[in-house]
């Protein structure tokens, strides 16, 4: 509806829950209502939450595969360049392009590229490092690391309408619904 | 949950019947192949077929002991298939007898005149002689059968009494047992297949067998577990997370097998020494090179590429097909170890090479299924059972 919504200074709405199960139920209901920009916060990991609110699969595996293949190709290219093009030495009568012996360094480079991409890519795709996040503008949010459970619906969500979304969250048994300033 | 007994479904009896049928078919084919090719070819094929199937029993024993030490949901769901596979070891000891009968055909070092004419075989005679060889085989099978029997007995007792001390006992035996396993399998690998060429040696051979056996056993029990998971009682128990863990383990074993096989190759290839290189010279000509390439592509690249994807490991049918493929393709690896030594001039395959693995496989599967259905399909009192039933990973 609000295609050109003006900046309201509102990041989203935060609902507070006392326990894990109401948070999971609320997440299911909010996703069921068609929202997509939703995030949950809890003092301990709740495994099923991830499947509920993060429906889009990460592209990280594809990046890692691509990086691994690049590493392998670089390994072979590096050894071809040095052993065949730059320094063609006769070692024990073997052919210059002894690719079987190149497998080991190429394998190492495959792992190096793939592992670095996995580690750095995971951090980058998580949006880290992130020195500022609006959720901390809510004072109650401190409790997310001790004993409270929070569900945040972003204002950027196409379905987001402040009054309607507030009513939805309150109807799901939230102990409080707070505006999150941007 | 406490009253559930996890009795084996009818499909296990069906597996037993299929095993018997396969054994009969395999034996008929073996008879025909034997008539065509003679005794030498029979014993060569028998050695390959035997090493192939005993690998499933021994790999199961090793995985069972690893599970007793490490715990984990992956091991709880396959513990009974592993135990059933280890209970085939007495059968495997009996099936070793044809190799004893065929020693003269298989092992050059059993001929006194050949040893007298060969200084290398003379130097190895203290180890490579028939009486010591036979004594070692008795010792290996005694070790394996004693360990398998104790682990199975205590496991049955655990089902009945739930005594927590039994889990500790099994873990203790497994700690020392894995050491014994590593040593006995290393020597057995040297005896069974490396000594076919008494001049050649490779220090990685024993590891190659341990890993190959673990790979065979894991692939075999994954195929069995997926079969069991389609019907009650295990259909409510086995989930994608269990398969995911087992798929990851299969992937790791596959990589380790490739790593060790390639290590042996690259070391011998790089050193290019007269006493080692003949192994690969024979295998790089006369058609044998295609067997080698098939191993690289079909035993490594194909299952590796498929198992790389997370979805494959969590998909019951796909993982079952890959696991069955790995079980079958293991045969090619053992064939590659043994057959070129007897046919140095070029690739040579006869009917018995295919018939005997089918025959022994039928016998193995029939006995395995008979053992599997005799006990509950899950260890009822395993301390990790409750956790394994609600296992969940990403």
């Amino acid at each position: 509806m609000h295609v050109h919504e003006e900046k309201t200074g509102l990041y989203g709405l935060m609902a507070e829950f006392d326990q894990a199960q109401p948070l999971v139920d609320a997440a299911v209901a909010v996703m069921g209502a068609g929202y997509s920009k939703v995030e949950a916060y809890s003092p301990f990991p709740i495994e099923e939450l991830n499947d509920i609110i993060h429906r889009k699969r990460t592209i990280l595996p594809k990046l890692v595969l691509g990086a691994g293949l690049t590493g392998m190709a670089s390994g072979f290219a590096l050894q071809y360049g040095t052993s065949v093009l730059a320094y063609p030495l006769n070692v024990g009568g073997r052919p210059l392009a002894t690719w079987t012996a190149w497998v080991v360094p190429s394998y190492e480079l495959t792992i190096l590229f793939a592992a670095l991409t996995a580690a750095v890519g995971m951090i980058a795709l998580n949006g880290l490092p992130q020195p500022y996040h609006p959720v901390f503008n809510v004072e109650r949010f401190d409790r997310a690391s001790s004993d409270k459970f929070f569900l945040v619906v972003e204002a950027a969500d196409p379905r987001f309408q402040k009054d309607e979304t507030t009513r939805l969250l309150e109807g799901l048994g939230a102990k409080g619904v707070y505006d999150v300033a941007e | 949950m406490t009253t559930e007994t996890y009795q084996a479904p009818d499909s296990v009896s069906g597996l037993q019947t299929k095993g018997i049928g396969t054994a009969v078919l395999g034996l008929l084919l073996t008879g025909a192949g034997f008539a065509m090719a003679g005794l030498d070819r029979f014993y060569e094929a028998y050695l390959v077929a035997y090493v192939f199937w005993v690998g499933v029993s021994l790999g199961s024993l090793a995985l069972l002991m690893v599970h007793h030490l490490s715990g984990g949901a992956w091991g709880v769901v396959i513990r009974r298939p592993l135990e059933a596979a280890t209970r085939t070891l007495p059968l495997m000891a009996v099936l070793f007898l044809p190799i004893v009968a065929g020693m003269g055909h298989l092992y050059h070092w059993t001929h006194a005149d050949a040893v007298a004419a060969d200084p290398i075989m003379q130097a190895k005679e203290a180890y490579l002689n028939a009486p010591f060889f036979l004594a070692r085989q008795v010792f290996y099978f005694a070790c394996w059968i004693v360990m398998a029997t104790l682990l199975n007995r205590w496991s049955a007792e655990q089902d009945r009494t739930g005594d927590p001390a039994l889990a500790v006992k099994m873990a203790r035996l497994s700690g020392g047992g894995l050491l014994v396993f590593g040593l006995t399998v290393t020597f057995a690998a040297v005896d069974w297949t490396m000594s076919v060429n008494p001049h050649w040696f490779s220090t990685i051979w024993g590891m190659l067998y341990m890993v190959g056996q673990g790979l065979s056993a894991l692939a075999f029990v994954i195929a069995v577990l997926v079969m069991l998971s389609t019907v009650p009682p295990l259909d409510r128990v086995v989930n994608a997370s269990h398969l995911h863990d087992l798929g990851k383990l299969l992937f790791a074993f596959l990589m380790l097998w490739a790593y060790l096989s390639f290590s042996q190759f690259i070391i011998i290839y790089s050193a290019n020494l007269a006493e080692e290189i003949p192994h690969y010279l024979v295998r790089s000509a006369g058609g044998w090179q295609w067997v080698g390439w098939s191993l690289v592509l079909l035993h490594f690249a194909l299952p590796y590429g498929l198992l790389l994807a997370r979805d494959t490991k969590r998909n019951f049918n796909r993982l079952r097909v890959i696991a069955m493929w790995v079980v079958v393709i293991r045969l090619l690896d053992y064939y590659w170890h043994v057959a070129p030594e007897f046919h140095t001039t070029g690739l040579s395959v006869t009917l018995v090479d295919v018939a005997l693995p089918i025959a022994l496989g039928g016998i193995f599967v029939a006995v395995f299924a008979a053992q599997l259905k005799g006990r509950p399909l899950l260890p009822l009192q395993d301390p990790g059972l409750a956790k394994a039933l609600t296992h969940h990973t990403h």
Side-chain angles (χ1 to χ4, degrees):
Chain A
M1 321 288 144
H2 297 258
V3 184
H4 299 291
E5 198 170 30
E6 303 205 340
K7 277 222 160 180
T8 54
L10 185 69
Y11 170 76
L13 287 169
M14 178 184 284
E16 178 187 326
F17 299 90
D18 281 339
Q19 281 172 15
Q21 196 53 49
L23 172 64
V24 172
D25 296 340
V28 171
V30 169
M31 294 305 289
Y35 291 88
S36 54
K37 289 183 184 290
V38 179
E39 190 55 89
Y41 304 88
S42 61
F44 52 84
I46 303 170
E47 284 177 345
E48 61 225 84
L49 260 181
N50 194 50
D51 297 332
I52 297 167
I53 58 177
H54 295 140
R55 300 240 176 107
K56 252 205 255 165
R57 289 276 292 270
T58 169
I59 60 158
L60 192 57
K62 292 186 183 75
L63 293 179
V64 173
L65 179 66
L69 292 173
T70 309
M72 187 169 72
S74 324
F76 270 100
L78 179 71
Q79 291 170 95
Y80 189 87
T82 49
S83 312
V84 179
L85 302 177
Y87 305 100
L89 295 176
N90 183 332
V91 180
R94 291 187 184 81
L96 291 176
T98 47
W99 64 269
T100 42
W102 299 350
V103 168
V104 180
S106 304
Y107 175 76
E108 303 296 348
L109 281 182
T110 309
I111 302 298
L112 179 71
F113 278 46
L116 283 179
T117 307
V120 175
M122 182 273 288
I123 292 168
L125 289 174
N126 276 323
L128 297 172
Q130 193 169 19
Y132 172 79
H133 198 288
V135 287
F136 292 100
N137 293 333
V138 179
E139 209 174 314
R140 296 282 296 171
F141 189 70
D142 284 355
R143 304 284 290 271
S145 55
S146 59
D147 60 347
K148 297 290 179 194
F149 301 80
F150 295 93
L151 190 71
V152 172
V153 182
E154 286 181 38
D157 193 300
R159 297 254 343 182
F160 186 88
Q161 281 194 311
K162 192 165 180 254
D163 299 340
E164 194 193 317
T165 309
T166 309
R167 270 198 302 280
L168 172 70
L169 290 171
E170 278 169 349
L172 291 169
K175 298 293 164 190
V177 177
Y178 319 113
D179 292 356
V180 184
E182 211 158 24
Chain B
M1 194 195 87
T2 44
T3 51
E4 179 64 84
T5 53
Y6 298 111
Q7 287 305 310
D10 293 339
S11 55
V12 178
S13 300
L15 187 66
Q16 192 182 353
T17 314
K18 275 183 217 159
I20 294 168
T22 310
V24 171
L25 173 78
L27 288 172
L28 289 174
L29 287 173
T30 303
F34 175 70
M36 279 158 51
L39 209 52
D40 275 344
R41 295 302 301 241
F42 171 82
Y43 282 123
E44 290 162 27
Y46 191 89
L47 178 63
V48 173
Y50 179 80
V51 171
F52 174 56
W53 282 107
V54 81
V56 180
S57 306
L58 288 174
S60 297
L61 179 62
L63 291 177
L64 181 65
M65 293 195 285
V66 169
H67 168 66
H68 280 312
L69 286 176
S70 72
W74 64 272
V76 174
V77 288
I78 57 169
R79 199 171 122 190
R80 283 295 140 90
L82 289 176
E83 286 173 354
T86 64
R87 293 202 295 278
T88 64
L89 275 168
L91 167 80
M92 285 323 216
V94 175
L95 289 177
F96 190 79
L97 293 177
I99 294 177
V100 175
M103 276 173 74
H105 296 264
L106 291 169
Y107 303 117
H108 204 43
W109 48 263
T110 53
H111 301 284
D113 49 338
V115 175
D118 188 319
I120 295 178
M121 277 200 271
Q122 279 166 28
K124 295 184 179 182
E125 208 183 350
Y127 184 83
L128 288 183
N129 62 75
F132 190 30
F133 177 90
L134 294 173
R136 286 196 302 271
Q137 308 312 311
V138 172
F139 177 72
Y140 305 149
F141 278 101
C143 289
W144 298 332
I145 291 172
V146 165
M147 292 192 292
T149 306
L150 286 176
L151 289 174
N152 276 288
R153 183 181 298 161
W154 292 339
S155 182
E157 206 176 317
Q158 190 186 43
D159 272 4
R160 282 195 310 275
T161 64
D163 182 0
L166 287 164
V168 179
K169 256 165 105 174
M170 288 190 278
R172 290 224 173 106
L173 176 73
S174 299
L178 277 171
L179 273 179
V180 173
F181 175 84
L183 289 169
T184 47
V185 167
T186 301
F187 280 97
V190 170
D191 290 352
W192 295 345
T193 53
M194 203 164 94
S195 80
V196 166
N197 181 345
H199 284 196
W200 185 75
F201 56 88
S202 162
T203 49
I204 220 167
W205 201 248
M207 278 299 289
L208 212 47
Y209 273 72
M210 278 183 254
V211 169
Q213 291 170 350
L215 181 59
S216 287
L218 191 61
F220 181 78
V221 294
I222 288 175
V224 171
L225 185 70
V226 175
M227 183 198 90
L228 293 173
S229 71
T230 56
V231 287
L234 287 197
D235 58 342
R236 288 171 288 110
V237 173
V238 182
N239 61 37
S241 294
H242 294 120
L243 283 210
H244 195 182
D245 287 352
L246 291 168
K248 283 185 270 191
L249 266 179
L250 187 68
F251 183 73
F253 266 103
L254 204 58
M255 281 186 64
L256 195 52
W257 170 84
Y259 175 81
L260 292 175
S261 302
F262 189 75
S263 297
Q264 178 180 284
F265 169 75
I266 199 72
I267 290 166
I268 292 177
Y269 171 88
S270 304
N272 202 16
L273 297 174
E275 62 264 36
E276 294 175 345
I277 201 72
H279 184 81
Y280 286 108
L281 287 182
V282 166
R283 285 164 178 77
S284 58
W288 289 118
Q289 71 270 33
W290 303 120
V291 177
W293 277 113
S294 302
L295 280 175
V296 173
L297 295 174
L298 302 177
H299 192 313
F300 173 65
L302 178 71
Y304 174 90
L306 292 172
L307 283 173
L308 208 48
R310 177 179 181 271
D311 291 342
T312 312
K313 286 173 281 205
R314 295 180 78 91
N315 181 309
F316 283 62
N317 261 323
R318 266 186 256 171
L319 192 65
R320 183 187 59 118
V321 171
I322 294 169
M324 288 171 75
W325 173 252
V326 170
V327 169
V328 172
I329 201 71
R330 289 289 307 128
L331 181 64
L332 194 66
D333 190 37
Y334 294 119
Y335 182 70
W336 166 255
H337 287 171
V338 173
E341 297 301 335
F342 292 106
H343 307 281
T344 50
T345 50
L347 179 66
S348 165
V349 188
T350 64
L351 183 58
V352 274
D353 292 326
V354 183
L356 269 166
I358 295 173
L360 290 191
I363 298 169
F364 177 88
V365 169
V367 174
F368 167 80
Q371 291 296 333
L372 184 65
K373 71 179 179 185
R375 292 188 180 187
L377 290 178
L378 286 175
L380 304 176
Q381 307 278 355
D382 188 298
L385 181 65
K387 199 155 179 268
L389 292 179
T390 55
H391 184 53
H392 183 93
T393 58
H394 289 284

